[in-house]
């Protein structure tokens, strides 16, 4: 049955590793009656961490999609991983979701990865609410975390809850409930094995002054967004709850404020209010601007599709799960209606796809459905050409949406099958893994036959090699990880690529002028642009652009992937009878090769951002160790009894860093390392290649 688009919420749960995303998701599923009792991350029994690798390690590795109803609203929720190696899962989820719940640990506050996911959400303009979890932990600090959210994340948090008590059950003033500042009630959460209840009571007298003060502050801040609210405040009249909610909703959807709630997911306090907040404050697909794309035949022409089932169909593939029975593609439907047994166009690849089956996805289970409409998320089984980032659309109304940009891999590992007989199978499996995971690559060395796999970090590649053994029964020898280099060009050059030849008795003639130049701010590895106005007929230009894009995805002079490069088509010459698309393809390939040769090579290495949290007495040792690793210290700040050191260092000098840092501090320091950028590699590395 079609759903009212206003009743849909597509949301993601994002946070630093271990903040409690999966535990929160599990609780939500329990309160929404999807499961009879909540599973536990620590026992490996949650719905969304269903993979054996996740269950054993107690961490989330891949984004999992679940669907449930709350107060008559239909919620599509994606539980994402917090570990930096799996940041692509967060990226693709935020690209297609309309809102997010950002989880913080009340004990740790705003951690390195909290900041990273926050910036990712900023980039996609995703409205969000904050949930300060783990209020039951010793050292939980709601107000401190609130202040960090405001300062470090540069946003306007608006607390709609206050905690009652803080810390574990054996504490005198243990955390036991929350105050809802909108209804001005204290909420207690009572549950047994089967059911859960939220009981609203009067606010305990000792909390009343604080609650009034925070409520007043909340109304004061919200009055910036509503004249009606300002008026009521000025005349000191009662402000209706409905008005507060609607102003808060508009301000949240407009990305101006962030409602903040608190609780403990593990002990089931404060979770139902998060579900209410998802419904009340996060947008439905109808509340966000229409999706924008371009005409695939004419990339300069912008097109939009409204979130309306009556518009022509368009959607974006954001995840592929390879399966024995074929691939399952996760698709966000932006407009129109899609039915099973229909045909769609993949405009990026210019291929028609059959859509044999549609599935509603429930973590590792799925249920077949017949149709899906604008605003929803669906699994399509049995497509042949489409991968993550591809648009699907109505063949009669083509539109190409912006693809998803993923971070560059930073680590390489050489692997080798134990027997040559297994080589073919290994390559097939790696190909399948690459389809699922856009931050995984592999390459066979042309001369030595060595297979190099590349990924986002040591854990990422360790999990991939485990999968080869566990899931596919492949025996491989794995070598030590090393840095994944990149190439860029040294200077800007202008060249003319030519095609003057005869192919199968037919003369082919084309000339294409391009400029290739360094482009440090490039949003993707190689950016191809058009600066020739209407000088070339659109089909010829399109053919040339396709080849330039393809070449850009290949390697540079030393075979390392290219990045920070811009290629602009400046013009060309057409022959009256002998020019065609093939001629322009060949001229484009010639131009690219020439430009690469003339522009010179700069070798780049991955630079990481580190955040090390160290107790005072070890700061000196940790700093001097960092300096030996060519690290640049960005800043140090004091947080409680610890110092937080933020630094940047080449990945080449950070192998084994976690262990070294732990032994320097007798196990008391912790760190988070994530890719930051690429910088010029030391001259010796380039020399060794020459
Ligand atoms: N004390 C306490 N522990 C919690 C709470 N929520 C989660 N935990 C514990 O924190 C650990 C991490 O929880 P997860 O739910 O796996 O965290 P996550 O954010 O999904 O972690 P990743 O997916 O690996 O990034 C587990 O041991 C949980 O039992 C809470 O409210 N209080
Ligand atoms: Mg998790």
């Amino acid at each position: 049955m079609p759903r009212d688009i206003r009743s849909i919420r597509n949301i993601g749960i994002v946070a630093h590793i271990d903040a409690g995303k999966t535990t929160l998701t599990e609780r939500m599923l329990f309160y929404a009656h999807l499961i009879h009792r909540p599973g536990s991350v620590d026992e490996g029994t949650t719905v969304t961490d269903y993979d054996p690798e996740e269950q054993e390690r107690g961490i989330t590795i891949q984004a999992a999609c679940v669907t449930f109803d709350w107060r008559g609203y239909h919620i599509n929720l994606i539980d994402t991983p917090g570990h930096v190696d799996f940041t692509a899962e967060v990226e693709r989820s935020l690209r297609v979701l309309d809102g997010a719940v950002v989880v913080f640990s009340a004990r740790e506050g705003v951690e390195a990865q909290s900041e990273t996911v926050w910036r990712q959400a900023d980039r996609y303009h995703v409205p969000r609410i904050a949930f300060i979890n783990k209020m039951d932990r010793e050292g939980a600090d709601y107000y401190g975390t609130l202040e960090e959210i405001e300062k470090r994340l540069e946003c306007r948090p608006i607390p709609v809850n206050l905690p009652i008590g803080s810390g574990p059950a054996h504490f005198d003033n243990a955390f036991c409930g929350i105050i809802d500042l909108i209804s001005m009630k204290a909420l207690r959460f009572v549950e047994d094995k089967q059911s859960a209840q939220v009981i609203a009571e009067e606010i305990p007298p000792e909390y009343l002054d604080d609650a009034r003060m925070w409520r007043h502050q909340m109304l004061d801040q919200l009055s910036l967004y509503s004249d009606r609210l300002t008026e009521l405040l000025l005349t000191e009249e009662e402000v209706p709850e409905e008005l507060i909610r609607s102003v808060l909703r508009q301000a949240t959807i407009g990305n101006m404020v962030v409602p903040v709630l608190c609780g403990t997911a593990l002990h089931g306090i404060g979770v139902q209010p998060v579900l209410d907040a998802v419904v009340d404050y996060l947008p439905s697909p109808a509340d966000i601007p229409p999706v924008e794309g371009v005409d695939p035949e004419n990339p300069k022409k912008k097109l939009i599709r409204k979130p309306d089932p009556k518009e022509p169909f368009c959607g974006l593939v954001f995840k592929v799960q390879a399966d024995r029975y074929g691939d399952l593609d996760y698709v966000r439907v932006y407009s129109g209606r899609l039915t099973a047994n229909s045909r769609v166009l993949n405009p990026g690849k210019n291929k028609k796809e059959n859509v044999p089956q549609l599935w509603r996805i429930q973590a590792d289970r799925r249920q077949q459905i017949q149709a899906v409409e604008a605003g929803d998320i669906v699994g399509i089984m049995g497509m042949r050409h489409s991968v993550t980032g591809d648009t699907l659309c109505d063949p009669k109304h083509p539109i190409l949406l912006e693809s998803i940009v993923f971070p560059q891999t930073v680590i390489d590992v050489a692997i080798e099958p134990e027997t040559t007989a297994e080589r073919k199978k290994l390559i097939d499996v790696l190909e399948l893994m690459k389809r699922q995971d856009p931050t995984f690559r592999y390459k066979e060395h042309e001369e030595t036959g060595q297979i190099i796999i590349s990924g986002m970090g040591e854990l990422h590649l360790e999990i991939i090699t485990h999968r080869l053994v566990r899931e596919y029964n492949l025996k491989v020898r794995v070598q030590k990880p090393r840095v994944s280099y990149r190439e860029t060009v040294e200077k800007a050059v202008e060249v003319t690529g030519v095609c003057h030849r005869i192919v199968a008795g037919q003369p082919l003639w084309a000339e294409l002028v391009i400029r290739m130049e360094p482009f440090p701010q490039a949003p993707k590895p190689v950016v191809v642009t058009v600066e020739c106005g209407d000088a070339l007929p659109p089909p010829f230009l399109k053919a040339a652009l396709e080849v330039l894009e393809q070449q850009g995805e290949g390697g540079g002079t030393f075979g390392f992937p290219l990045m920070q490069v811009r290629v602009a088509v400046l013009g060309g010459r057409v022959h009256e009878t002998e020019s065609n698309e093939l001629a322009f393809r060949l001229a484009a390939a010639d131009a690219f090769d020439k430009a690469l040769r003339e522009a010179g090579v700069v070798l780049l290495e991955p630079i990481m951002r580190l955040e090390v949290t160290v107790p005072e007495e070890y700061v000196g040792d940790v700093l001097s160790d960092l300096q030996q690793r060519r690290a640049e210290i960005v800043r140090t700040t004091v947080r409680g009894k610890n110092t937080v050191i933020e630094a940047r260092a080449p990945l080449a000098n950070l192998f084994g860093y976690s262990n070294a840092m732990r032994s320097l501090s007798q196990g008391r320091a912790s760190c988070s390392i994530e890719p930051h950028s690429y910088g010029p590699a030391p001259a010796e590395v380039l020399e060794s290649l020459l």
Side-chain angles (χ1 to χ4, degrees):
M1 207 185 61
R3 305 173 191 276
D4 173 5
I5 192 163
R6 297 197 173 274
S7 73
I8 298 179
R9 296 289 179 278
N10 295 310
I11 61 158
I13 311 266
V14 297
H16 187 87
I17 188 163
D18 260 4
K21 298 171 288 296
T22 302
T23 308
L24 178 66
T25 306
E26 190 72 11
R27 279 282 164 177
M28 289 177 163
L29 298 179
F30 173 57
Y31 299 133
H33 304 297
L34 209 83
I35 50 179
H36 300 302
R37 71 188 137 95
S40 141
V41 171
D42 308 292
E43 286 158 22
T45 51
T46 61
V47 174
T48 48
D49 282 355
Y50 55 82
D51 185 278
E53 287 285 335
E54 295 178 319
Q55 292 169 350
E56 273 169 28
R57 294 168 192 265
I59 61 166
T60 303
I61 294 169
Q62 45 186 335
C65 200
V66 284
T67 292
F68 57 90
D69 286 346
W70 182 255
R71 277 177 29 196
Y73 287 78
H74 172 69
I75 300 180
N76 292 315
L77 179 149
I78 298 185
D79 173 26
T80 66
H83 194 284
V84 285
D85 283 13
F86 313 114
T87 173
E89 296 293 292
V90 182
E91 193 75 27
R92 57 165 131 222
S93 305
L94 289 174
R95 168 72 170 80
V96 297
L97 293 169
D98 305 324
V101 178
V102 187
V103 183
F104 298 88
S105 159
R107 196 177 131 107
E108 277 82 19
V110 175
E111 297 171 270
Q113 201 60 14
S114 331
E115 206 173 325
T116 308
V117 296
W118 195 270
R119 304 281 169 240
Q120 280 172 297
D122 279 344
R123 218 166 43 243
Y124 293 109
H125 309 290
V126 174
R128 62 213 89 148
I129 56 182
F131 178 62
I132 301 183
N133 187 32
K134 302 201 182 181
M135 280 305 304
D136 62 308
R137 295 276 313 266
E138 188 177 346
D141 181 359
Y142 179 72
Y143 299 96
T145 306
L146 200 58
E147 203 180 312
E148 281 188 23
I149 293 178
E150 179 164 10
K151 294 221 172 95
R152 278 188 76 178
L153 306 177
E154 293 153 335
C155 66
R156 189 188 288 253
I158 298 205
V160 295
N161 287 173
L162 296 184
I164 303 179
S166 165
H170 61 271
F171 273 31
D172 279 348
N173 184 27
F175 177 63
C176 61
I178 60 173
I179 294 168
D180 174 8
L181 295 174
I182 297 179
S183 63
M184 281 301 264
K185 292 281 178 212
L187 305 182
R188 271 198 309 125
F189 299 81
V190 185
E191 65 186 62
D192 53 33
K193 285 215 163 72
Q194 274 80 42
S195 67
Q197 262 183 301
V198 183
I199 301 172
E201 298 172 337
E202 292 310 314
I203 297 175
E206 66 274 27
Y207 283 93
L208 208 51
D209 281 349
D210 259 4
R212 287 199 183 114
M213 194 269 284
W214 281 99
R215 179 181 160 97
H216 184 77
Q217 204 168 314
M218 168 180 81
L219 294 177
D220 213 39
Q221 289 191 308
L222 288 178
S223 67
L224 292 176
Y225 311 104
S226 158
D227 293 343
R228 171 102 186 93
L229 189 63
T230 312
E231 240 174 72
L232 292 175
L233 288 182
L234 283 176
T235 52
E236 294 187 9
E237 278 171 77
E238 188 66 29
V239 183
E241 283 179 34
E242 278 327 297
L243 179 66
I244 306 178
R245 290 207 178 88
S246 83
V247 177
L248 190 52
R249 175 174 181 80
Q250 288 320 316
T252 307
I253 292 176
N255 264 313
M256 289 174 288
V257 303
V258 179
V260 183
L261 296 90
C262 67
T264 153
L266 188 65
H267 300 293
I269 301 183
V271 175
Q272 294 93 331
V274 179
L275 285 164
D276 287 338
V278 164
V279 166
D280 290 339
Y281 312 131
L282 291 180
S284 80
D287 296 315
I288 52 165
V291 67
E292 284 179 20
V294 296
D295 179 346
E297 292 304 320
N298 177 7
K300 275 190 262 167
K301 189 169 153 201
K302 290 219 164 21
L303 299 172
I304 59 162
R305 293 280 181 268
K306 296 200 202 89
D308 183 341
K310 293 191 197 76
E311 288 263 297
F313 163 73
C314 88
L316 187 82
V317 180
F318 64 95
K319 186 175 164 75
V320 175
Q321 205 171 317
D323 191 282
R324 249 168 292 176
Y325 312 106
D327 290 357
L328 177 69
D329 292 47
Y330 290 49
V331 178
R332 162 72 198 251
V333 180
Y334 285 102
S335 62
R337 182 180 156 82
L338 181 66
T339 51
N341 296 313
S342 58
R343 247 163 110 72
V344 295
L345 174 70
N346 177 331
K349 300 209 162 71
N350 198 14
K351 292 239 162 43
K352 294 258 178 71
E353 286 270 28
N354 284 324
V355 176
Q357 298 175 350
L358 297 178
W359 297 84
R360 190 159 290 295
I361 301 163
Q362 200 64 277
D364 56 342
R365 288 174 302 140
R366 50 190 91 129
Q367 181 198 352
Q368 197 158 7
I369 53 175
Q370 289 313 313
V372 62
E373 288 192 345
D376 222 333
I377 286 174
V378 71
I380 302 181
M381 190 85 157
M383 288 199 296
R384 295 187 41 214
H385 308 287
S386 303
V387 295
T388 300
D390 284 0
T391 305
L392 301 176
C393 62
D394 180 339
K396 290 201 214 79
H397 301 274
I399 179 171
L400 183 63
L401 307 179
E402 199 175 311
S403 188
I404 312 176
V405 179
F406 290 103
Q408 299 287 310
T409 58
V410 294
I411 279 196
D412 287 356
V413 166
I415 58 171
E416 208 183 325
E418 277 189 359
T419 63
T420 40
E422 291 211 311
R423 193 178 178 86
K424 163 96 178 54
K425 184 175 168 201
L426 176 61
I427 296 291
D428 286 348
V429 171
L430 293 176
E431 188 58 37
L432 179 146
M433 288 180 157
K434 193 173 109 182
R435 266 204 327 271
Q436 302 195 64
D437 180 353
T439 52
F440 170 72
R441 299 165 165 247
Y442 76 92
K443 197 173 166 187
E444 278 183 276
H445 194 283
E446 275 170 28
E447 284 140 37
T448 61
Q450 199 181 35
I451 299 169
I452 310 277
I453 59 174
S454 316
M456 298 307 298
E458 292 180 67
L459 181 63
H460 185 200
L461 293 183
E462 184 187 307
I463 286 170
I464 294 215
T465 44
H466 270 203
R467 287 222 154 108
L468 294 176
V469 179
R470 185 201 293 257
E471 282 172 38
Y472 301 99
N473 241 327
L474 280 158
K475 293 197 184 57
V476 289
R477 275 189 289 268
V478 181
Q479 284 171 19
K480 275 219 177 103
R482 45 178 222 211
V483 162
S484 194
Y485 291 104
R486 289 288 182 282
E487 284 180 40
T488 188
V489 293
E490 199 176 356
K491 55 178 190 289
V493 294
E494 240 181 73
V495 300
T496 304
V498 297
C499 167
H500 301 161
R501 58 165 112 168
I502 294 174
V503 173
Q506 211 189 333
L508 290 179
W509 200 98
E511 287 187 358
L512 187 77
V513 186
I514 65 166
R515 183 179 63 236
M516 184 179 277
E517 62 193 336
F519 183 25
Q521 275 77 45
K524 58 182 206 169
V526 177
V527 175
V528 180
T529 60
V530 179
E531 291 178 23
C532 63
D534 299 325
L536 294 172
F540 296 174
L541 178 62
K542 191 175 163 222
L545 290 175
E546 260 172 38
V547 171
L548 295 174
E549 293 272 3
Q550 272 164 18
Q551 302 274 85
E553 282 164 22
T557 311
F558 295 107
F560 297 117
L562 283 165
M563 72 182 293
Q564 299 179 4
V565 175
R566 175 159 53 198
V567 178
V569 175
L570 302 180
R573 285 174 38 190
V574 180
H575 188 281
E576 245 173 55
T577 53
E578 293 171 8
S579 286
N580 60 15
E581 286 169 33
L582 177 60
F584 270 89
R585 285 180 174 278
L586 295 169
D590 183 51
F592 197 94
D593 285 348
K594 269 188 192 149
L596 206 55
R597 251 178 287 137
E598 289 181 22
V601 192
V602 179
L603 202 65
L604 300 174
E605 66 174 352
I607 308 290
M608 310 303 274
R609 171 173 174 263
L610 290 91
E611 203 176 290
V612 194
T613 308
V614 213
E616 195 53 55
E617 57 268 42
Y618 303 107
V619 172
D621 291 347
V622 169
L623 279 176
S624 70
D625 174 64
L626 280 173
Q627 267 143 12
Q628 278 171 25
R629 295 173 186 268
R630 280 205 276 146
E632 172 202 336
I633 310 296
V634 180
R635 84 184 127 209
T636 56
T637 40
V638 175
R639 193 184 299 163
K641 293 186 189 121
N642 290 324
T643 298
V644 179
I645 305 170
E646 199 189 321
R648 311 232 159 102
L651 174 63
N653 302 354
L654 290 178
F655 287 110
Y657 181 68
S658 301
N659 288 338
M661 172 220 41
R662 266 186 225 116
S663 66
L664 274 178
S665 65
Q666 304 192 345
R668 298 197 29 221
S670 66
C671 81
S672 132
I673 303 180
E674 64 179 336
H676 175 264
S677 55
Y678 272 80
E684 311 89 80
V685 183
L686 186 59
E687 277 158 25
S688 71
L689 295 167
L690 294 166

